[in-house]
Amino acid sequence: MVQARVTGSAANCPACGVASHRVHSRYVRRLAEAAIGGRPTVPKLRVQRFRCSTTECPRATFTEQVEGLTFR
Ligand SMILES: [Zn+2]
């Protein structure tokens, strides 16, 4: 098992594009299994859910994404 966490303090809302620093919660995502060094591996990543700061935005909260690693 490999565990990692995202260390960024802000993320852009996917709906309105505005950056938010307001962390709503954190949780662990299990990513697609892969082989590392020829051994089966279970990657887990702790991500943050943010509150959108834009009043009119239809997304109240959103989860940060890591380019090339996680997808909605
Ligand atoms: Zn938004």
Side-chain angles (χ1 to χ4, degrees):
M1 182 184 306
V2 175
Q3 294 188 33
R5 65 186 171 98
V6 182
T7 59
S9 60
N12 291 343
C13 173
C16 68
V18 174
S20 173
H21 293 82
R22 301 170 60 199
V23 176
H24 173 271
S25 59
R26 296 176 176 87
Y27 66 96
V28 175
R29 288 182 67 173
R30 182 174 171 161
L31 306 179
E33 294 182 15
I36 298 177
R39 303 187 65 174
T41 305
V42 179
K44 292 185 175 182
L45 180 67
R46 193 186 77 167
V47 295
Q48 301 170 110
R49 175 167 280 277
F50 290 87
R51 289 186 192 279
C52 183
S53 302
T54 305
T55 307
E56 306 82 26
C57 183
R59 301 275 312 242
T61 64
F62 61 92
T63 301
E64 64 187 345
Q65 303 296 326
V66 179
E67 188 174 339
L69 188 61
T70 63
F71 306 92
R72 281 191 295 278

Short mmCIF file of all heavy atoms in Angstrom, two decimals:
data_model
loop_
_atom_site.label_atom_id
_atom_site.label_comp_id
_atom_site.label_asym_id
_atom_site.label_seq_id
_atom_site.Cartn_x
_atom_site.Cartn_y
_atom_site.Cartn_z
N MET A 1 0.84 -1.18 0.00
CA MET A 1 0.00 0.00 0.00
C MET A 1 0.89 1.24 0.00
O MET A 1 1.88 1.30 0.70
CB MET A 1 -0.90 0.00 1.24
CG MET A 1 -1.85 1.17 1.28
SD MET A 1 -2.83 1.24 2.79
CE MET A 1 -3.54 -0.39 2.79
N VAL A 2 0.49 2.22 -0.81
CA VAL A 2 1.20 3.49 -0.86
C VAL A 2 0.20 4.59 -0.52
O VAL A 2 -0.85 4.67 -1.14
CB VAL A 2 1.80 3.75 -2.26
CG1 VAL A 2 2.43 5.14 -2.33
CG2 VAL A 2 2.83 2.69 -2.60
N GLN A 3 0.51 5.41 0.49
CA GLN A 3 -0.37 6.50 0.86
C GLN A 3 0.32 7.83 0.61
O GLN A 3 1.52 7.96 0.88
CB GLN A 3 -0.77 6.40 2.33
CG GLN A 3 -1.61 5.17 2.64
CD GLN A 3 -2.14 5.19 4.05
OE1 GLN A 3 -2.43 6.23 4.61
NE2 GLN A 3 -2.30 4.01 4.62
N ALA A 4 -0.44 8.78 0.08
CA ALA A 4 0.10 10.11 -0.19
C ALA A 4 -1.00 11.12 0.09
O ALA A 4 -2.16 10.76 0.24
CB ALA A 4 0.55 10.21 -1.64
N ARG A 5 -0.61 12.39 0.17
CA ARG A 5 -1.61 13.43 0.36
C ARG A 5 -1.25 14.63 -0.48
O ARG A 5 -0.07 14.88 -0.77
CB ARG A 5 -1.76 13.82 1.82
CG ARG A 5 -0.54 14.46 2.43
CD ARG A 5 -0.75 14.66 3.93
NE ARG A 5 0.47 15.07 4.57
CZ ARG A 5 0.78 16.34 4.86
NH1 ARG A 5 -0.05 17.30 4.54
NH2 ARG A 5 1.90 16.63 5.45
N VAL A 6 -2.27 15.37 -0.87
CA VAL A 6 -2.07 16.59 -1.64
C VAL A 6 -1.76 17.70 -0.65
O VAL A 6 -2.44 17.84 0.37
CB VAL A 6 -3.33 16.92 -2.47
CG1 VAL A 6 -3.10 18.18 -3.30
CG2 VAL A 6 -3.69 15.75 -3.37
N THR A 7 -0.75 18.52 -0.93
CA THR A 7 -0.32 19.53 0.03
C THR A 7 -0.73 20.95 -0.36
O THR A 7 -0.44 21.89 0.36
CB THR A 7 1.21 19.50 0.22
OG1 THR A 7 1.82 19.72 -1.06
CG2 THR A 7 1.66 18.17 0.80
N GLY A 8 -1.43 21.10 -1.49
CA GLY A 8 -1.85 22.44 -1.90
C GLY A 8 -2.85 23.02 -0.93
O GLY A 8 -3.60 22.30 -0.28
N SER A 9 -2.89 24.36 -0.82
CA SER A 9 -3.80 25.00 0.11
C SER A 9 -4.99 25.65 -0.60
O SER A 9 -5.81 26.29 0.04
CB SER A 9 -3.06 26.06 0.92
OG SER A 9 -2.51 27.04 0.06
N ALA A 10 -5.07 25.50 -1.92
CA ALA A 10 -6.18 26.08 -2.67
C ALA A 10 -6.43 25.23 -3.92
O ALA A 10 -5.57 24.46 -4.35
CB ALA A 10 -5.86 27.51 -3.08
N ALA A 11 -7.64 25.36 -4.47
CA ALA A 11 -7.98 24.68 -5.72
C ALA A 11 -9.01 25.53 -6.45
O ALA A 11 -9.75 26.30 -5.83
CB ALA A 11 -8.53 23.29 -5.44
N ASN A 12 -9.04 25.38 -7.78
CA ASN A 12 -9.99 26.14 -8.58
C ASN A 12 -11.30 25.38 -8.73
O ASN A 12 -11.29 24.18 -9.04
CB ASN A 12 -9.41 26.41 -9.97
CG ASN A 12 -8.25 27.38 -9.92
OD1 ASN A 12 -8.06 28.09 -8.93
ND2 ASN A 12 -7.46 27.39 -10.97
N CYS A 13 -12.40 26.07 -8.52
CA CYS A 13 -13.72 25.46 -8.69
C CYS A 13 -13.90 25.06 -10.16
O CYS A 13 -13.65 25.87 -11.05
CB CYS A 13 -14.80 26.46 -8.27
SG CYS A 13 -16.47 25.90 -8.63
N PRO A 14 -14.36 23.83 -10.43
CA PRO A 14 -14.53 23.40 -11.81
C PRO A 14 -15.70 24.09 -12.51
O PRO A 14 -15.78 24.09 -13.73
CB PRO A 14 -14.78 21.89 -11.69
CG PRO A 14 -15.32 21.71 -10.31
CD PRO A 14 -14.67 22.77 -9.47
N ALA A 15 -16.62 24.70 -11.75
CA ALA A 15 -17.78 25.36 -12.36
C ALA A 15 -17.51 26.81 -12.70
O ALA A 15 -17.79 27.26 -13.80
CB ALA A 15 -18.98 25.25 -11.42
N CYS A 16 -16.96 27.58 -11.75
CA CYS A 16 -16.76 29.02 -11.98
C CYS A 16 -15.29 29.39 -12.16
O CYS A 16 -14.99 30.51 -12.56
CB CYS A 16 -17.37 29.82 -10.84
SG CYS A 16 -16.52 29.62 -9.26
N GLY A 17 -14.37 28.49 -11.84
CA GLY A 17 -12.95 28.75 -12.06
C GLY A 17 -12.27 29.56 -10.99
O GLY A 17 -11.05 29.79 -11.06
N VAL A 18 -13.00 30.01 -9.97
CA VAL A 18 -12.42 30.84 -8.92
C VAL A 18 -11.69 29.96 -7.89
O VAL A 18 -12.21 28.91 -7.49
CB VAL A 18 -13.52 31.68 -8.22
CG1 VAL A 18 -12.96 32.44 -7.03
CG2 VAL A 18 -14.15 32.63 -9.23
N ALA A 19 -10.50 30.40 -7.49
CA ALA A 19 -9.72 29.64 -6.50
C ALA A 19 -10.36 29.76 -5.12
O ALA A 19 -10.86 30.83 -4.75
CB ALA A 19 -8.29 30.16 -6.47
N SER A 20 -10.34 28.67 -4.38
CA SER A 20 -10.86 28.67 -3.01
C SER A 20 -9.80 28.14 -2.07
O SER A 20 -9.09 27.19 -2.38
CB SER A 20 -12.11 27.79 -2.92
OG SER A 20 -12.52 27.68 -1.56
N HIS A 21 -9.72 28.77 -0.89
CA HIS A 21 -8.83 28.30 0.19
C HIS A 21 -9.64 27.70 1.33
O HIS A 21 -9.08 27.32 2.34
CB HIS A 21 -8.00 29.46 0.74
CG HIS A 21 -7.00 30.01 -0.22
ND1 HIS A 21 -7.34 30.92 -1.20
CD2 HIS A 21 -5.68 29.77 -0.39
CE1 HIS A 21 -6.26 31.23 -1.92
NE2 HIS A 21 -5.24 30.54 -1.44
N ARG A 22 -10.95 27.64 1.17
CA ARG A 22 -11.84 27.21 2.25
C ARG A 22 -12.02 25.70 2.21
O ARG A 22 -12.87 25.18 1.48
CB ARG A 22 -13.19 27.92 2.12
CG ARG A 22 -13.07 29.43 2.17
CD ARG A 22 -14.38 30.09 1.80
NE ARG A 22 -15.46 29.71 2.70
CZ ARG A 22 -16.75 29.84 2.41
NH1 ARG A 22 -17.12 30.34 1.25
NH2 ARG A 22 -17.66 29.48 3.28
N VAL A 23 -11.24 24.98 3.03
CA VAL A 23 -11.32 23.52 3.06
C VAL A 23 -12.60 23.09 3.78
O VAL A 23 -12.88 23.54 4.89
CB VAL A 23 -10.08 22.92 3.77
CG1 VAL A 23 -10.23 21.40 3.89
CG2 VAL A 23 -8.82 23.29 3.02
N HIS A 24 -13.39 22.29 3.13
CA HIS A 24 -14.65 21.77 3.69
C HIS A 24 -14.39 20.47 4.44
O HIS A 24 -14.89 20.26 5.53
CB HIS A 24 -15.65 21.55 2.55
CG HIS A 24 -16.92 20.87 2.95
ND1 HIS A 24 -17.05 19.50 2.94
CD2 HIS A 24 -18.09 21.37 3.38
CE1 HIS A 24 -18.28 19.20 3.36
NE2 HIS A 24 -18.92 20.30 3.62
N SER A 25 -13.61 19.56 3.84
CA SER A 25 -13.32 18.27 4.46
C SER A 25 -12.16 17.62 3.72
O SER A 25 -11.72 18.10 2.68
CB SER A 25 -14.56 17.37 4.42
OG SER A 25 -14.96 17.18 3.08
N ARG A 26 -11.70 16.52 4.28
CA ARG A 26 -10.64 15.74 3.64
C ARG A 26 -11.06 14.28 3.67
O ARG A 26 -11.72 13.85 4.61
CB ARG A 26 -9.32 15.90 4.39
CG ARG A 26 -8.77 17.30 4.38
CD ARG A 26 -7.50 17.42 5.22
NE ARG A 26 -6.91 18.74 5.14
CZ ARG A 26 -7.26 19.76 5.92
NH1 ARG A 26 -8.17 19.58 6.85
NH2 ARG A 26 -6.69 20.94 5.78
N TYR A 27 -10.67 13.53 2.65
CA TYR A 27 -10.97 12.11 2.66
C TYR A 27 -9.95 11.37 1.80
O TYR A 27 -9.20 11.99 1.03
CB TYR A 27 -12.41 11.83 2.20
CG TYR A 27 -12.69 12.17 0.76
CD1 TYR A 27 -12.64 11.22 -0.23
CD2 TYR A 27 -13.04 13.48 0.39
CE1 TYR A 27 -12.93 11.52 -1.55
CE2 TYR A 27 -13.33 13.80 -0.91
CZ TYR A 27 -13.28 12.82 -1.88
OH TYR A 27 -13.55 13.15 -3.17
N VAL A 28 -9.92 10.06 1.94
CA VAL A 28 -8.94 9.24 1.23
C VAL A 28 -9.59 8.59 0.02
O VAL A 28 -10.66 7.97 0.15
CB VAL A 28 -8.35 8.15 2.16
CG1 VAL A 28 -7.42 7.23 1.39
CG2 VAL A 28 -7.60 8.82 3.32
N ARG A 29 -8.97 8.77 -1.12
CA ARG A 29 -9.43 8.14 -2.36
C ARG A 29 -8.52 6.97 -2.66
O ARG A 29 -7.30 7.08 -2.55
CB ARG A 29 -9.36 9.12 -3.54
CG ARG A 29 -10.39 10.20 -3.51
CD ARG A 29 -10.28 11.08 -4.73
NE ARG A 29 -10.64 10.35 -5.96
CZ ARG A 29 -10.76 10.94 -7.15
NH1 ARG A 29 -10.52 12.21 -7.29
NH2 ARG A 29 -11.11 10.24 -8.21
N ARG A 30 -9.12 5.88 -3.06
CA ARG A 30 -8.33 4.74 -3.51
C ARG A 30 -8.19 4.86 -5.03
O ARG A 30 -9.18 4.94 -5.75
CB ARG A 30 -9.03 3.44 -3.15
CG ARG A 30 -8.25 2.22 -3.55
CD ARG A 30 -8.92 0.98 -3.02
NE ARG A 30 -8.28 -0.20 -3.59
CZ ARG A 30 -8.37 -1.40 -3.07
NH1 ARG A 30 -9.09 -1.60 -1.99
NH2 ARG A 30 -7.77 -2.42 -3.62
N LEU A 31 -6.98 4.88 -5.53
CA LEU A 31 -6.73 5.05 -6.95
C LEU A 31 -6.62 3.69 -7.63
O LEU A 31 -6.59 2.65 -6.97
CB LEU A 31 -5.44 5.85 -7.17
CG LEU A 31 -5.39 7.21 -6.45
CD1 LEU A 31 -4.06 7.90 -6.73
CD2 LEU A 31 -6.55 8.09 -6.86
N ALA A 32 -6.57 3.70 -8.96
CA ALA A 32 -6.45 2.46 -9.72
C ALA A 32 -5.17 1.73 -9.31
O ALA A 32 -4.11 2.35 -9.15
CB ALA A 32 -6.43 2.75 -11.22
N GLU A 33 -5.30 0.43 -9.12
CA GLU A 33 -4.14 -0.35 -8.70
C GLU A 33 -3.09 -0.41 -9.81
O GLU A 33 -3.42 -0.39 -10.98
CB GLU A 33 -4.58 -1.76 -8.30
CG GLU A 33 -5.47 -1.72 -7.07
CD GLU A 33 -5.89 -3.12 -6.61
OE1 GLU A 33 -5.28 -4.09 -7.06
OE2 GLU A 33 -6.83 -3.19 -5.82
N ALA A 34 -1.85 -0.46 -9.41
CA ALA A 34 -0.76 -0.51 -10.37
C ALA A 34 0.36 -1.38 -9.79
O ALA A 34 0.35 -1.70 -8.61
CB ALA A 34 -0.23 0.90 -10.64
N ALA A 35 1.28 -1.78 -10.64
CA ALA A 35 2.43 -2.54 -10.17
C ALA A 35 3.62 -1.60 -10.06
O ALA A 35 3.90 -0.81 -10.95
CB ALA A 35 2.75 -3.67 -11.14
N ILE A 36 4.28 -1.64 -8.92
CA ILE A 36 5.49 -0.85 -8.72
C ILE A 36 6.61 -1.81 -8.36
O ILE A 36 6.50 -2.57 -7.40
CB ILE A 36 5.31 0.20 -7.60
CG1 ILE A 36 4.21 1.20 -7.98
CG2 ILE A 36 6.63 0.94 -7.33
CD1 ILE A 36 3.90 2.23 -6.93
N GLY A 37 7.65 -1.78 -9.14
CA GLY A 37 8.76 -2.71 -8.91
C GLY A 37 8.32 -4.16 -9.05
O GLY A 37 8.86 -5.04 -8.40
N GLY A 38 7.30 -4.39 -9.90
CA GLY A 38 6.82 -5.74 -10.13
C GLY A 38 5.90 -6.27 -9.05
O GLY A 38 5.48 -7.42 -9.10
N ARG A 39 5.55 -5.43 -8.06
CA ARG A 39 4.67 -5.88 -6.98
C ARG A 39 3.34 -5.15 -7.05
O ARG A 39 3.29 -3.94 -7.32
CB ARG A 39 5.32 -5.62 -5.62
CG ARG A 39 6.68 -6.29 -5.50
CD ARG A 39 7.21 -6.16 -4.12
NE ARG A 39 6.37 -6.89 -3.17
CZ ARG A 39 6.67 -7.05 -1.89
NH1 ARG A 39 7.76 -6.51 -1.40
NH2 ARG A 39 5.89 -7.73 -1.11
N PRO A 40 2.25 -5.87 -6.82
CA PRO A 40 0.94 -5.22 -6.83
C PRO A 40 0.89 -4.13 -5.77
O PRO A 40 1.36 -4.33 -4.64
CB PRO A 40 -0.04 -6.34 -6.49
CG PRO A 40 0.72 -7.61 -6.62
CD PRO A 40 2.17 -7.29 -6.49
N THR A 41 0.32 -2.98 -6.12
CA THR A 41 0.30 -1.83 -5.21
C THR A 41 -1.10 -1.24 -5.14
O THR A 41 -1.80 -1.16 -6.14
CB THR A 41 1.28 -0.75 -5.73
OG1 THR A 41 2.57 -1.34 -5.87
CG2 THR A 41 1.37 0.41 -4.76
N VAL A 42 -1.50 -0.85 -3.94
CA VAL A 42 -2.79 -0.16 -3.73
C VAL A 42 -2.49 1.28 -3.36
O VAL A 42 -2.11 1.57 -2.23
CB VAL A 42 -3.61 -0.84 -2.62
CG1 VAL A 42 -4.92 -0.10 -2.42
CG2 VAL A 42 -3.84 -2.31 -2.96
N PRO A 43 -2.61 2.22 -4.33
CA PRO A 43 -2.33 3.62 -4.03
C PRO A 43 -3.55 4.30 -3.40
O PRO A 43 -4.67 4.18 -3.89
CB PRO A 43 -2.02 4.24 -5.39
CG PRO A 43 -2.22 3.16 -6.41
CD PRO A 43 -2.90 2.02 -5.75
N LYS A 44 -3.31 5.02 -2.30
CA LYS A 44 -4.37 5.80 -1.65
C LYS A 44 -3.90 7.24 -1.55
O LYS A 44 -2.76 7.50 -1.20
CB LYS A 44 -4.68 5.23 -0.27
CG LYS A 44 -5.33 3.85 -0.33
CD LYS A 44 -5.73 3.38 1.05
CE LYS A 44 -6.48 2.04 0.95
NZ LYS A 44 -6.92 1.59 2.28
N LEU A 45 -4.82 8.15 -1.84
CA LEU A 45 -4.46 9.57 -1.87
C LEU A 45 -5.46 10.36 -1.03
O LEU A 45 -6.67 10.29 -1.24
CB LEU A 45 -4.50 10.07 -3.32
CG LEU A 45 -4.16 11.54 -3.53
CD1 LEU A 45 -2.69 11.79 -3.21
CD2 LEU A 45 -4.46 11.94 -4.97
N ARG A 46 -4.95 11.13 -0.06
CA ARG A 46 -5.83 11.99 0.73
C ARG A 46 -6.03 13.30 -0.02
O ARG A 46 -5.07 13.99 -0.35
CB ARG A 46 -5.25 12.29 2.11
CG ARG A 46 -6.29 12.92 3.03
CD ARG A 46 -5.72 13.34 4.34
NE ARG A 46 -4.97 14.59 4.17
CZ ARG A 46 -4.55 15.35 5.17
NH1 ARG A 46 -4.75 14.97 6.40
NH2 ARG A 46 -3.89 16.45 4.95
N VAL A 47 -7.28 13.61 -0.33
CA VAL A 47 -7.60 14.83 -1.06
C VAL A 47 -8.48 15.73 -0.20
O VAL A 47 -9.02 15.31 0.82
CB VAL A 47 -8.32 14.52 -2.39
CG1 VAL A 47 -7.41 13.75 -3.33
CG2 VAL A 47 -9.61 13.74 -2.14
N GLN A 48 -8.62 16.97 -0.64
CA GLN A 48 -9.41 17.96 0.10
C GLN A 48 -10.63 18.37 -0.70
O GLN A 48 -10.57 18.49 -1.93
CB GLN A 48 -8.56 19.20 0.39
CG GLN A 48 -7.32 18.89 1.18
CD GLN A 48 -6.37 20.07 1.24
OE1 GLN A 48 -6.20 20.68 2.28
NE2 GLN A 48 -5.76 20.41 0.11
N ARG A 49 -11.72 18.54 0.01
CA ARG A 49 -12.94 19.09 -0.60
C ARG A 49 -13.03 20.55 -0.16
O ARG A 49 -12.87 20.85 1.02
CB ARG A 49 -14.16 18.29 -0.16
CG ARG A 49 -15.48 18.84 -0.64
CD ARG A 49 -16.58 17.85 -0.43
NE ARG A 49 -16.59 16.84 -1.46
CZ ARG A 49 -17.15 16.98 -2.66
NH1 ARG A 49 -17.81 18.08 -2.95
NH2 ARG A 49 -17.08 16.03 -3.54
N PHE A 50 -13.23 21.44 -1.11
CA PHE A 50 -13.28 22.88 -0.83
C PHE A 50 -14.70 23.41 -0.97
O PHE A 50 -15.51 22.87 -1.72
CB PHE A 50 -12.38 23.64 -1.82
CG PHE A 50 -10.91 23.42 -1.60
CD1 PHE A 50 -10.27 22.34 -2.19
CD2 PHE A 50 -10.17 24.28 -0.80
CE1 PHE A 50 -8.91 22.12 -1.98
CE2 PHE A 50 -8.81 24.07 -0.60
CZ PHE A 50 -8.18 22.99 -1.19
N ARG A 51 -14.97 24.51 -0.24
CA ARG A 51 -16.21 25.26 -0.45
C ARG A 51 -15.92 26.32 -1.50
O ARG A 51 -14.93 27.03 -1.42
CB ARG A 51 -16.62 26.01 0.82
CG ARG A 51 -17.10 25.15 1.93
CD ARG A 51 -17.60 26.03 3.07
NE ARG A 51 -17.81 25.24 4.28
CZ ARG A 51 -18.90 24.51 4.50
NH1 ARG A 51 -19.85 24.47 3.59
NH2 ARG A 51 -19.02 23.80 5.60
N CYS A 52 -16.83 26.45 -2.49
CA CYS A 52 -16.67 27.51 -3.48
C CYS A 52 -17.03 28.84 -2.82
O CYS A 52 -18.01 28.93 -2.08
CB CYS A 52 -17.54 27.26 -4.70
SG CYS A 52 -17.30 28.53 -5.96
N SER A 53 -16.22 29.87 -3.10
CA SER A 53 -16.42 31.19 -2.48
C SER A 53 -17.37 32.07 -3.28
O SER A 53 -17.75 33.15 -2.81
CB SER A 53 -15.08 31.91 -2.34
OG SER A 53 -14.18 31.14 -1.57
N THR A 54 -17.76 31.64 -4.47
CA THR A 54 -18.63 32.46 -5.32
C THR A 54 -20.09 32.23 -4.96
O THR A 54 -20.59 31.10 -5.05
CB THR A 54 -18.41 32.11 -6.80
OG1 THR A 54 -17.02 32.25 -7.10
CG2 THR A 54 -19.22 33.02 -7.71
N THR A 55 -20.77 33.27 -4.56
CA THR A 55 -22.15 33.15 -4.09
C THR A 55 -23.07 32.57 -5.16
O THR A 55 -23.92 31.72 -4.87
CB THR A 55 -22.68 34.54 -3.66
OG1 THR A 55 -21.76 35.10 -2.73
CG2 THR A 55 -24.04 34.42 -3.01
N GLU A 56 -22.93 32.99 -6.41
CA GLU A 56 -23.84 32.57 -7.46
C GLU A 56 -23.48 31.21 -8.06
O GLU A 56 -24.18 30.69 -8.92
CB GLU A 56 -23.86 33.60 -8.60
CG GLU A 56 -24.17 35.02 -8.15
CD GLU A 56 -22.95 35.75 -7.60
OE1 GLU A 56 -21.82 35.41 -7.98
OE2 GLU A 56 -23.13 36.64 -6.75
N CYS A 57 -22.36 30.63 -7.66
CA CYS A 57 -21.89 29.38 -8.28
C CYS A 57 -22.82 28.21 -7.92
O CYS A 57 -23.22 28.06 -6.77
CB CYS A 57 -20.46 29.07 -7.82
SG CYS A 57 -19.79 27.59 -8.63
N PRO A 58 -23.16 27.37 -8.90
CA PRO A 58 -24.02 26.22 -8.64
C PRO A 58 -23.34 25.11 -7.83
O PRO A 58 -24.01 24.24 -7.29
CB PRO A 58 -24.40 25.72 -10.04
CG PRO A 58 -23.27 26.17 -10.90
CD PRO A 58 -22.80 27.48 -10.32
N ARG A 59 -21.99 25.14 -7.74
CA ARG A 59 -21.26 24.12 -6.98
C ARG A 59 -20.96 24.66 -5.58
O ARG A 59 -20.17 25.57 -5.43
CB ARG A 59 -19.93 23.76 -7.66
CG ARG A 59 -20.03 23.24 -9.07
CD ARG A 59 -20.27 21.78 -9.16
NE ARG A 59 -19.46 20.94 -8.36
CZ ARG A 59 -18.64 20.02 -8.85
NH1 ARG A 59 -18.46 19.94 -10.16
NH2 ARG A 59 -18.01 19.22 -8.04
N ALA A 60 -21.57 24.10 -4.58
CA ALA A 60 -21.29 24.53 -3.20
C ALA A 60 -19.92 24.04 -2.76
O ALA A 60 -19.17 24.75 -2.10
CB ALA A 60 -22.36 24.02 -2.27
N THR A 61 -19.60 22.81 -3.12
CA THR A 61 -18.30 22.23 -2.77
C THR A 61 -17.74 21.47 -3.97
O THR A 61 -18.48 21.10 -4.88
CB THR A 61 -18.42 21.25 -1.58
OG1 THR A 61 -19.22 20.14 -1.97
CG2 THR A 61 -19.01 21.93 -0.35
N PHE A 62 -16.45 21.25 -3.94
CA PHE A 62 -15.81 20.48 -5.01
C PHE A 62 -14.53 19.86 -4.47
O PHE A 62 -13.93 20.36 -3.51
CB PHE A 62 -15.49 21.36 -6.24
CG PHE A 62 -14.55 22.49 -5.94
CD1 PHE A 62 -13.18 22.34 -6.11
CD2 PHE A 62 -15.02 23.70 -5.45
CE1 PHE A 62 -12.31 23.37 -5.81
CE2 PHE A 62 -14.15 24.75 -5.14
CZ PHE A 62 -12.80 24.58 -5.33
N THR A 63 -14.11 18.76 -5.06
CA THR A 63 -12.90 18.06 -4.65
C THR A 63 -11.74 18.44 -5.57
O THR A 63 -11.91 18.50 -6.79
CB THR A 63 -13.11 16.54 -4.69
OG1 THR A 63 -14.19 16.22 -3.81
CG2 THR A 63 -11.85 15.80 -4.26
N GLU A 64 -10.59 18.70 -4.98
CA GLU A 64 -9.42 19.03 -5.79
C GLU A 64 -9.03 17.83 -6.63
O GLU A 64 -9.24 16.68 -6.24
CB GLU A 64 -8.25 19.44 -4.89
CG GLU A 64 -7.77 18.32 -3.99
CD GLU A 64 -6.74 18.76 -2.98
OE1 GLU A 64 -6.16 19.85 -3.14
OE2 GLU A 64 -6.51 18.03 -2.02
N GLN A 65 -8.47 18.09 -7.80
CA GLN A 65 -8.00 17.05 -8.70
C GLN A 65 -6.50 17.21 -8.90
O GLN A 65 -5.98 18.33 -8.87
CB GLN A 65 -8.72 17.14 -10.06
CG GLN A 65 -10.23 17.06 -9.96
CD GLN A 65 -10.73 15.72 -9.43
OE1 GLN A 65 -10.15 14.67 -9.70
NE2 GLN A 65 -11.81 15.75 -8.67
N VAL A 66 -5.82 16.11 -9.09
CA VAL A 66 -4.39 16.14 -9.36
C VAL A 66 -4.23 15.75 -10.83
O VAL A 66 -4.57 14.63 -11.22
CB VAL A 66 -3.62 15.15 -8.47
CG1 VAL A 66 -2.14 15.19 -8.79
CG2 VAL A 66 -3.87 15.48 -7.00
N GLU A 67 -3.75 16.71 -11.64
CA GLU A 67 -3.65 16.49 -13.07
C GLU A 67 -2.84 15.23 -13.39
O GLU A 67 -1.73 15.04 -12.85
CB GLU A 67 -2.99 17.71 -13.74
CG GLU A 67 -3.01 17.65 -15.25
CD GLU A 67 -2.50 18.93 -15.88
OE1 GLU A 67 -2.49 19.97 -15.20
OE2 GLU A 67 -2.09 18.85 -17.05
N GLY A 68 -3.41 14.37 -14.20
CA GLY A 68 -2.75 13.15 -14.61
C GLY A 68 -2.87 12.02 -13.61
O GLY A 68 -2.38 10.91 -13.85
N LEU A 69 -3.53 12.28 -12.46
CA LEU A 69 -3.61 11.26 -11.42
C LEU A 69 -5.05 10.97 -11.02
O LEU A 69 -5.45 9.82 -10.86
CB LEU A 69 -2.81 11.71 -10.19
CG LEU A 69 -2.63 10.69 -9.08
CD1 LEU A 69 -1.87 9.47 -9.58
CD2 LEU A 69 -1.90 11.31 -7.90
N THR A 70 -5.86 12.03 -10.84
CA THR A 70 -7.26 11.82 -10.45
C THR A 70 -8.19 12.49 -11.45
O THR A 70 -7.81 13.44 -12.13
CB THR A 70 -7.55 12.41 -9.06
OG1 THR A 70 -7.34 13.83 -9.09
CG2 THR A 70 -6.65 11.79 -7.99
N PHE A 71 -9.43 11.97 -11.51
CA PHE A 71 -10.44 12.52 -12.40
C PHE A 71 -11.78 12.49 -11.67
O PHE A 71 -11.99 11.65 -10.81
CB PHE A 71 -10.55 11.67 -13.68
CG PHE A 71 -9.23 11.50 -14.38
CD1 PHE A 71 -8.43 10.41 -14.09
CD2 PHE A 71 -8.80 12.45 -15.27
CE1 PHE A 71 -7.20 10.25 -14.72
CE2 PHE A 71 -7.57 12.30 -15.91
CZ PHE A 71 -6.78 11.20 -15.64
N ARG A 72 -12.69 13.42 -12.01
CA ARG A 72 -14.01 13.43 -11.40
C ARG A 72 -14.83 12.25 -11.87
O ARG A 72 -14.72 11.81 -12.98
CB ARG A 72 -14.76 14.73 -11.72
CG ARG A 72 -14.32 15.89 -10.88
CD ARG A 72 -15.26 17.06 -11.07
NE ARG A 72 -15.23 17.57 -12.42
CZ ARG A 72 -14.31 18.43 -12.86
NH1 ARG A 72 -13.38 18.85 -12.08
NH2 ARG A 72 -14.34 18.85 -14.10
ZN ZN B 1 -17.60 27.84 -8.09
#
